[in-house]
Amino acid sequence: MLFKVEMDVNVPTGYDPDRFEELKAAEKARFQELQRAGTWRHIWRVVGQYSNVSIFDVPSNAELHDILIGLPLYPFMDIRVTALCRHPSSLHEDDR
């Protein structure tokens, strides 16, 4: 199942910058692990914001939920999820 996931990161003012750098490094490592597995298929930065738009390919809503709440930066995120399905005019066979 494909999902569009919009993530906005909101770090509290005064949050420990060293701890935040650690969390960002852990987030990047987890993202790259999921990307290599084919789960986190695409990611785009939103210009001028600490936000991204991503495409996930997971077998269920529950698995996506578990992935998202397990992200190191999850406590600082506002997340919006939209389920997607293949458009009949798409030329890409991997758009399941």
Side-chain angles (χ1 to χ4, degrees):
M1 299 174 68
L2 295 177
F3 294 90
K4 176 182 81 169
V5 179
E6 299 171 77
M7 299 177 220
D8 302 322
V9 179
N10 301 295
V11 184
T13 303
Y15 190 80
D16 180 2
D18 293 332
R19 177 65 183 137
F20 189 63
E21 288 303 315
E22 292 171 5
L23 289 172
K24 286 194 315 186
E27 182 87 10
K28 181 177 181 178
R30 180 67 175 135
F31 158 71
Q32 290 178 340
E33 175 186 335
L34 291 166
Q35 191 175 31
R36 285 185 193 96
T39 302
W40 199 324
R41 287 182 51 176
H42 302 281
I43 187 170
W44 294 274
R45 177 175 283 158
V46 178
V47 176
Q49 300 176 31
Y50 196 165
S51 302
N52 73 71
V53 176
S54 296
I55 303 296
F56 283 80
D57 188 356
V58 294
S60 70
N61 296 340
E63 184 167 331
L64 179 61
H65 177 79
D66 290 344
I67 288 168
L68 295 175
I69 66 169
L71 294 173
L73 291 177
Y74 176 78
F76 306 109
M77 290 182 179
D78 292 322
I79 299 174
R80 291 168 305 286
V81 176
T82 304
L84 303 173
C85 63
R86 186 176 188 280
H87 192 285
S89 298
S90 177
L91 296 175
H92 302 284
E93 293 300 321
D94 66 341
D95 291 344
R96 311 180 236 118

